[in-house]
Structures are given as structure tokens and as C-alpha cells.
Amino acid sequence: MDRQMGFPTAWLLAAVLLPCGVGGAVAADVKGKPNIVFIMADDHTSQAWGCYGSRLAAFAKTPNIDRLAREGARLTNCFCTNSICVPSRASILTGQYSHVNGVKTLREALDPGADNVAKRLQRAGYQTALVGKWHLKKSPAGFDYWNIIKGQGRYHNPVMYEMDLDGGAVQQGAYSTDVFTDKALDWLARRDREKPFCLMLHFKATHEPWQYHPRHAKLYENVVLPEPKTLLGPTGPTGGVVPGWPLELLTQRMLKGGHGGGRLRVTSDDPQVVRRATYQKFVKDFLRCVAAIDENIGRVLEHLDKHQLAEDTVVIYTSDQGYFLGEHNYFDKRFMLEESLRMPLVVRYPGEIEPQTVVEDIILNVDFAPTFLDYAGTGSSPTMQGRSFRANLAGNSPADWRGAMYYRYYAGSPQRPAHFGIRTHRYKLIYYDGLKDQPEGQRWELYDLTQDPQETRNAYGDSKHREITAELKQRLRDLQAELGDRAGAEAQREGSS
Ligand code: CA
């Protein structure tokens, strides 16, 4: 693409000139219109999946998720473009970056009148349903059936709204992960069998406060979970320019109660002992919530098997973003650092995706919607900025696939300032535009991910990185121009002066 073209010319032209299927995608009529089951959790970071091989892999109870990876594709470089619940969900549905769809922080609603993937699937003859967490404020648009919680909702006895956000509230007397799956399977059982379907099942778990089901209370009872190497060091990357959210803040919250399994109990004043105790409770509660998700994904897979639907259904499982599980002594997300940026993702489609496929291409949340449309055989939407990765999943990655991604986080605070940046396969350059009062050199972070995969040392300003830093700054400017983020480009100009 001509990087000199501005927004919206560049991506509008790309959508017209590069219909899905370019670069070796499988023709949509080979398999007809497959069903799509899109399961998403909240904050279920890759460290808490068995199939991602983290320090916690042996402890995460995810046999059904691992089955999807074994029978399909696991993506190792899927990233969100703004690591926070509401914006990531809006980007997934619209195929647009936050600066285009307008959902930049937790505050904005997704405009029901705007184009989205569900509407386009409906027009392509799909039945569409959404069950569980929505979090986009206004009524879902494009779904024949929806039954959702408002905002964060509750883990236990959630209040759900069926087709009406003002009325229609019913309190469900059970655990949210189980209830949402019950509703999703009920809908599958009564759907019109003459049409393909797209079912979106979105769990509330594993969002804080990690209130797990009592059936998982004994999990990890006599276990000491392995700690990340960076847990006991200083908070954040050494030489990093922001404070971030330390576990000590979570300690304070957990001492008040409201989290899974009740209050944190600490009997020592030693800060390291308290930090380690907080970590153990936090991650155990988190993994107990994961166990329920996995069991319910198992129920969905069982349903597909039992009704001979597995062969003709694309099954996707992902999380809206990643999450820190004590790495850098952080919890929560928002940052462009790896644990927060990465979206774990598995996709199974037996006729087209080879078992145990691993895709290392840089895939983004804005690519989900164009991919679903590609499977539906409709061609992409001119409003969508992402690109279908159907071909990548099938082992035919287009030669001109992106080598770098653009990230931007808007909801700044002193501990977690607004920032944007670029990540390639090897490097990451971050600019904190929320630190405008700091000297220029203290607003940037640079990581060489091959030398420092855990991002423990900010390499910005090192003389040996001068050339690559200049190159990355230029590529960042190019991406901002290509994607039409004029405000981001202006912020970078100010920061470089
Ligand atoms: Ca989230």
C-alpha cells in the first residue's frame, strides 16, 4: 500500500482492491458457509492456557482449549490494538481501530447504527446470536437473539437481559460461566437448521474479582504456583518510564474482601511475603475461574460432536486482551507490554485448518471481523480496516502480510499514562504521550524481544540501538498515516521535538 495515502483513502482502496481471498485464501464455495462459534473470555491471558507453554501451563486446567489447539491452529502473535475490554470488543466487532470506531476507553458506547460483523453475517444469510458479556453500553445490533449482562455483571446469579436492556431482566440462579453456556446451547437447539449460524458466547470470567464456582474451591489447595522471575524485583521493567499497577494495590483490595474465596489473609509485615501471598491467592482464584471456562467450552464441543456439526463449524476461542499475572509485579492490563498486548487465540475448522497448526504472523483484533466475513463468503466490508487471516490459518500466509502492528491506549492516568507504539517481530517501541511533562528521553521505551523477551530492560537511548530506533519511529509514523490516526501522529511529532 502506498504509505503516503491518507485516511480514509488508503484502507478504503485496500478494501476494494484486495477482496478477501487474495494471496491464497481458500475459495469460500469449497466448504459452503460454515457455522461460526466465537467464544471469548474476559482477560483470560495466555499465561493461563495450557497450550501456550508458560510457567503456569502445567497448572492451568484447560484440556478442552488445548484440544482446540491440537485439532486446529494456535496463534502466537495475535495482539489487541488497545488493551482494555470495551475498545477491544468494539474493534473485534467493527474491524476498526479505536480512533475510527470512536470507542477509545471504557466510557464510550458502540453505536448500534454503525456497521459491524454481525449485521453483515445476517445479510449473508446467517442466524446470529450473542450470549453473555457485552459491555458496549447500548443494545447489541445485528443479532437475531441476544441475552446479555449489563456492564461487568455478576459471577454468581447474574442478571441477564434478553432482547431488551430496559425490561427483560431475569436473575439466573447459578454461576455465570455455566448459565451463559446453558443459554447458548438452548439457542443452538432451537435454531433454524436450514441456515448457517454465528454464535458469540462471551464469558464474564476471568475478570477481577475472580469469584470461582465452589466446585473448584479445592483446586490448587496444597499447591505453590511458580512465580514469574520479575515478581520480586522492582515494579515494572527496569528503566521503564511508568509506575504501573503493583500487586500491593491488589493486596489492599483483597484485604477488603469481595474476591473469590474471601479475603486475603497475611500474617507477616514483610513486604515480600505479602506480595508472594497476594500472588498465590490471585493466580489460584484466576485459574479456578479458568477451569469453569474450559469445562463449558467442553460442553460446546460435545454439543457440536453430538449433532454432527464439528466438521462444518469454525470454532474460535480467545480473550479480549491479555493480563499481567504478577510479571513485573503488575496485575491488570492496558500496557503495550507482552502479557497485556497478546491475545491468546485458537481456531478449529477441520476441513481447512491442519491439526496442530501454529501461526506466527502478526494478527490483530481488527482482523477478526474480516475473517468471519471471509468464511461466510461475503467479501470484506469497506468500513473494516483489518484483513482476513483465513489463508494464514490454512497454511497459506500472504507474502505481503503485515510485519508490524500499531497500538494505542487512550485512558491515561498517572500510573498508567496514555501511550502508543509499534511492535514488529523483533522490536517494540513505545511512546508515552501521557508523559508530556517529562523530558523527551523519558517518554520512550524500546525492547529487543529476541534479546529481552520478558521486557526487563528499557533499551531506549542505547547507542547501539540508535539506527533501529530511528527506523521504528519512521515506521510508526507510516502506520499512523496509513491507518488515519492524525491525532497520534501529531502527538508523536510533539514528542520528538
Ligand atoms: Ca477484558
Side-chain angles (χ1 to χ4, degrees):
M1 189 185 295
D2 180 355
R3 288 181 169 172
Q4 300 310 307
M5 279 192 294
F7 166 80
T9 321
W11 60 266
L12 279 177
L13 267 179
V16 172
L17 297 174
L18 299 173
C20 293
V22 72
V26 177
D29 59 0
V30 171
K31 294 277 293 177
K33 292 182 185 231
N35 306 307
I36 297 169
V37 173
F38 175 35
I39 310 173
M40 182 160 68
D42 197 351
D43 300 355
H44 186 189
T45 190
S46 61
Q47 306 96 294
W49 291 38
C51 60
Y52 275 93
S54 78
R55 70 182 187 279
L56 298 167
F59 298 88
K61 303 285 184 194
T62 56
N64 292 295
I65 296 167
D66 299 344
R67 177 187 165 192
L68 287 172
R70 202 168 54 244
E71 296 177 356
R74 178 173 63 93
L75 290 88
T76 59
N77 287 312
C78 180
F79 304 117
C80 58
T81 51
N82 182 358
S83 179
I84 184 98
C85 307
V86 177
S88 185
R89 287 157 194 270
S91 286
I92 286 169
L93 288 165
T94 61
Q96 296 170 336
Y97 290 76
S98 304
H99 64 272
V100 173
N101 64 34
V103 184
K104 296 177 177 175
T105 71
L106 292 173
R107 291 190 303 272
E108 293 89 10
L110 180 65
D111 175 7
D115 188 25
N116 75 38
V117 67
K119 290 182 180 181
R120 288 191 172 262
L121 287 171
Q122 268 185 332
R123 268 180 251 151
Y126 277 67
Q127 295 167 88
T128 56
L130 165 73
V131 179
K133 183 170 175 179
W134 169 243
H135 212 179
L136 289 164
K137 312 281 195 305
K138 296 183 179 171
S139 295
F143 296 94
D144 299 312
Y145 171 76
W146 54 266
N147 197 347
I148 60 172
I149 52 173
K150 275 189 187 176
Q152 297 289 1
R154 294 201 300 246
Y155 268 105
H156 295 280
N157 308 319
V159 175
M160 297 187 73
Y161 295 80
E162 184 174 338
M163 306 299 288
D164 182 0
L165 278 184
D166 298 317
V170 178
Q171 182 173 319
Q172 308 292 334
Y175 187 62
S176 62
T177 308
D178 301 333
V179 172
F180 297 172
T181 310
D182 292 346
K183 302 283 178 201
L185 295 181
D186 285 351
W187 180 80
L188 275 184
R190 66 174 191 272
R191 77 189 194 280
D192 176 355
R193 282 154 207 262
E194 300 302 311
K195 290 180 172 179
F197 65 83
C198 173
L199 167 66
M200 299 194 187
L201 169 57
H202 294 179
F203 297 120
K204 166 182 174 52
T206 52
H207 198 283
E208 192 185 359
W210 312 296
Q211 293 172 345
Y212 51 83
H213 190 280
R215 69 179 180 270
H216 297 121
K218 302 279 184 197
L219 260 180
Y220 314 114
E221 199 174 30
N222 296 307
V223 170
V224 178
L225 294 174
E227 297 170 351
K229 286 182 185 141
T230 51
L231 179 71
L232 296 182
T235 295
T238 305
V241 297
V242 297
W245 264 25
L247 282 191
E248 281 67 26
L249 179 59
L250 184 57
T251 304
Q252 294 309 313
R253 291 182 180 185
M254 283 186 153
L255 286 170
K256 287 181 190 155
H259 288 77
R263 287 182 194 185
L264 173 70
R265 289 180 187 83
V266 284
T267 52
S268 169
D269 293 330
D270 180 334
Q272 285 210 351
V273 173
V274 175
R275 190 185 287 184
R276 296 175 89 167
T278 302
Y279 170 80
Q280 290 294 327
K281 174 173 170 50
F282 157 39
V283 180
K284 285 180 183 180
D285 291 353
F286 192 103
L287 290 175
R288 288 169 181 141
C289 291
V290 168
I293 289 178
D294 189 80
E295 288 168 5
N296 279 285
I297 290 175
R299 292 175 65 203
V300 174
L301 297 182
E302 206 172 282
H303 181 99
L304 297 177
D305 288 339
K306 190 175 160 194
H307 296 276
Q308 287 81 48
L309 289 165
E311 287 295 311
D312 296 322
T313 302
V314 183
V315 181
I316 298 120
Y317 178 58
T318 192
S319 168
D320 57 351
Q321 10 70 205
Y323 204 87
F324 296 104
L325 295 179
E327 300 85 8
H328 308 287
N329 188 34
Y330 283 167
F331 73 109
D332 209 73
K333 52 258 184 180
R334 300 167 192 255
F335 284 108
M336 200 186 163
L337 299 176
E338 291 292 274
E339 292 84 357
S340 158
L341 180 69
R342 175 164 287 108
M343 294 171 75
L345 171 62
V346 287
V347 186
R348 186 187 76 175
Y349 183 25
E352 191 169 301
I353 303 173
E354 288 292 318
Q356 300 189 57
T357 295
V358 176
V359 177
E360 295 179 347
D361 300 328
I362 295 176
I363 306 292
L364 303 175
N365 55 359
V366 291
D367 298 327
F368 282 51
T371 304
F372 294 1
L373 297 183
D374 197 358
Y375 281 121
T378 68
S380 190
S381 155
T383 68
M384 292 179 182
Q385 297 176 284
R387 184 173 176 186
S388 169
F389 56 97
R390 182 178 180 174
N392 310 58
L393 294 170
N396 301 311
S397 297
D400 62 347
W401 195 258
R402 70 171 72 82
M405 59 87 58
Y406 181 55
Y407 179 87
R408 189 165 180 202
Y409 173 72
Y410 296 81
S413 68
Q415 285 181 305
R416 301 184 294 193
H419 58 285
F420 55 81
I422 180 171
R423 188 200 191 280
T424 66
H425 283 280
R426 177 163 179 182
Y427 292 102
K428 185 184 295 179
L429 179 72
I430 310 171
Y431 176 69
Y432 288 87
D433 55 320
L435 294 178
K436 267 188 270 193
D437 298 336
Q438 300 292 323
E440 193 263 345
Q442 290 174 32
R443 288 179 238 150
W444 293 90
E445 289 179 4
L446 174 74
Y447 300 101
D448 178 346
L449 300 168
T450 57
Q451 301 296 314
D452 183 18
Q454 296 186 334
E455 299 166 306
T456 57
R457 187 183 166 276
N458 178 12
Y460 187 82
D462 284 3
S463 55
K464 68 174 179 176
H465 290 119
R466 198 166 292 150
E467 211 169 304
I468 188 65
T469 301
E471 184 189 320
L472 288 167
K473 284 183 177 177
Q474 184 57 49
R475 287 181 80 177
L476 180 56
R477 279 192 287 273
D478 292 343
L479 274 175
Q480 288 172 324
E482 185 182 314
L483 300 169
D485 187 8
R486 290 187 186 130
E490 179 59 30
Q492 192 190 173
R493 255 194 307 279
E494 283 174 16
S496 300
S497 60

